[in-house]
Amino acid sequence: MNVRVPFVDLRIQHEPLMPELMEAFREVTESSAFVGGPFVARFEAEFAEFCQARYALGVGSGTDALWLSLLSLGVGHGDEVITTPNSFMATAEAISICGARPVFVDIDERTYTMDPAQLEKAITLRTQAIIPVHIFGQMADMDAIHVIAARHGTPVVEDACQAHGAEFKGRRAGSLGVVGCFSFYPGKNLGAFGEAGAVTTEEPELRSRIRALRDHGQAAKNQHAAIGWNARMDGIQAAVLSLKLRHLEPANAARRAHARLYDDLLADEPRVVRPWVAPYAKHAFHIYAVRVRDRDGVLKRMAACGVNCAVHYPVPIHLQEAYRFLGLEAGSFPVTERCAHEILSLPMYPELRPEDIELVVKLLKQCLGD
Ligand SMILES: Cc1ncc(COP(=O)(O)O)c(C=O)c1O
């Protein structure tokens, strides 16, 4: 079956940018600033401003951003870091790679983000950080999380890898935690031409530490004050990201308009649970996720009709083989587990046309079970 509506279409996004992209490649090539350098510095300043943050630091990926943030906060062996099991594996992995133990808190059934009502009981004397995940482009309830975190003096690290331009009460993702972590994986709202990520922060001290850690712990050339890693951003990625950042606001606005059309067309469909936008939130709709019965069947039938959907995420992190050692059985996080069975991501990208969305909804209604 030919694909009638892809899940994402990056080619169509890049086509009109081709002359500007070629110019950016030429500039980077001529200057040979391939790793770090002026293109990265420029993008860092632009992205910090976009996020309403004081500083941004370009790194190799969103995974690096999370990992280096935790390292910069001193997270290590014997510590615990709280997050949700409803995320991409990288959130927990970054905790583990620091030598710490991920401790999970279930999600709110409406926003799919960390349920603040369940956070406090997960905090122990070993807790060194809390990582709310702004999943699908909607921010977690940062006020409620901050109240609890402040009571325990625990830093909050935002996993904003899916939330470029998302807002909480008018404040941008990446400006509310002690650090914010972003991924520029190509399919993200702001995507590079390969791997890239960023950390945002208000704190000069954390900025200095992360800056050194991303470059083998060098505070100055050949002065290795800490054991770090190579987690630097490429000049070519920074140049592409600077260019694409200029188009991010209208692209996010297009995503929100698409979400409204999906919402309207699905309003009379009782078999579909639509995304809920919290009153505090400006959603960035990285993903438009609905919930349906017989999700795997619907996914297959949609693919057979030429519509590519996806699932974020079919297996919660605590039930992954890699985390079996935590001893968390099925049933430990019932909301996350129920959502993992029902969640279905419909095609979402800025260049979708209304007729594409109408077709997706028409076919979805035909593909639903009872
Ligand atoms: C919520 C979340 N956290 C972390 C990551 C990791 O980012 P990256 O793939 O850039 O390492 C991703 C990317 O998929 C993500 O969606």
Side-chain angles (χ1 to χ4, degrees):
M1 179 77 197
N2 283 340
V3 175
R4 294 158 82 185
V5 187
F7 181 63
V8 265
D9 189 342
L10 295 178
R11 193 192 44 80
I12 198 175
Q13 183 187 111
H14 295 140
E15 222 165 54
L17 303 180
M18 213 50 112
E20 289 174 275
L21 284 165
M22 290 304 148
E23 177 58 20
F25 294 147
R26 196 186 56 75
E27 280 177 33
V28 177
T29 309
E30 277 183 357
S31 70
S32 297
F34 292 119
V35 178
F39 297 99
V40 174
R42 182 182 69 186
F43 173 67
E44 288 174 339
E46 292 165 350
F47 192 63
E49 190 186 347
F50 177 84
C51 294
Q52 303 169 345
R54 190 162 172 201
Y55 305 116
L57 290 157
V59 293
S61 66
T63 310
D64 281 347
L66 285 160
W67 174 52
L68 297 186
S69 296
L70 294 176
L71 276 187
S72 74
L73 291 168
V75 173
H77 286 275
D79 294 335
E80 294 175 355
V81 176
I82 299 174
T83 189
T84 63
N86 179 45
S87 184
F88 181 58
M89 180 71 175
T91 316
E93 234 171 10
I95 299 167
S96 299
I97 293 294
C98 289
R101 187 180 181 87
V103 172
F104 298 112
V105 165
D106 211 349
I107 54 170
D108 177 296
E109 179 150 13
R110 296 170 305 170
T111 61
Y112 310 130
T113 61
M114 180 179 283
D115 181 357
Q118 303 196 45
L119 172 58
E120 194 139 34
K121 62 177 189 282
I123 297 180
T124 71
L125 289 174
R126 292 171 187 266
T127 307
Q128 291 298 328
I130 299 167
I131 313 183
V133 182
H134 304 324
I135 204 85
F136 303 157
Q138 172 154 252
M139 291 181 66
D141 184 348
M142 295 302 285
D143 277 352
I145 291 169
H146 269 132
V147 166
I148 298 163
R151 221 167 14 234
H152 296 266
T154 311
V156 176
V157 173
E158 293 175 72
D159 184 335
C161 286
Q162 301 188 5
H164 319 69
E167 291 180 13
F168 177 89
K169 297 184 178 173
R171 300 271 307 275
R172 285 261 160 99
S175 71
L176 282 123
V178 61
V179 286
C181 302
F182 290 86
S183 163
F184 304 121
Y185 188 76
K188 302 294 190 201
N189 288 30
L190 180 60
F193 277 13
E195 304 283 358
V199 180
T200 51
T201 185
E202 300 303 303
E203 313 242 350
E205 179 61 32
L206 290 179
R207 178 202 193 209
S208 306
R209 271 187 232 155
I210 294 166
R211 229 181 172 163
L213 287 169
R214 74 175 172 184
D215 191 18
H216 304 287
Q218 291 184 98
K221 185 106 183 126
N222 294 321
Q223 302 297 316
H224 300 266
I227 294 173
W229 200 249
N230 174 0
R232 299 174 300 229
M233 180 184 267
D234 292 342
I236 209 101
Q237 303 304 347
V240 167
L241 288 165
S242 278
L243 197 167
K244 289 180 69 176
L245 182 59
R246 299 205 284 275
H247 302 273
L248 183 54
E249 298 255 27
N252 278 352
R255 287 173 185 271
R256 282 191 282 273
H258 299 335
R260 278 195 298 276
L261 182 55
Y262 270 130
D263 279 351
D264 289 349
L265 296 171
L266 287 166
D268 63 351
E269 179 47 79
R271 294 170 296 175
V272 171
V273 178
R274 292 171 293 160
W276 184 74
V277 180
Y280 62 67
K282 190 165 183 186
H283 207 306
F285 282 104
H286 172 53
I287 284 166
Y288 184 91
V290 296
R291 278 161 56 199
V292 296
R293 301 255 296 267
D294 183 26
R295 189 269 321 282
D296 290 339
V298 176
L299 183 70
K300 264 200 213 116
R301 292 191 284 277
M302 288 293 274
C305 295
V307 174
N308 286 347
C309 300
V311 177
H312 301 85
Y313 296 92
V315 182
I317 299 176
H318 66 287
L319 298 179
Q320 294 286 354
E321 168 82 31
Y323 280 117
R324 192 178 285 173
F325 73 93
L326 292 175
L328 297 163
E329 305 284 327
S332 307
F333 302 101
V335 182
T336 295
E337 290 170 33
R338 193 164 60 250
C339 291
H341 280 116
E342 297 176 354
I343 211 99
L344 180 73
S345 308
L346 303 183
M348 174 56 89
Y349 49 92
E351 299 74 16
L352 267 177
R353 301 164 305 173
E355 55 268 38
D356 297 324
I357 294 171
E358 281 157 17
L359 179 66
V360 172
V361 171
K362 185 177 127 204
L363 294 171
L364 177 63
K365 288 180 178 178
Q366 289 168 14
C367 291
L368 289 170
D370 296 331

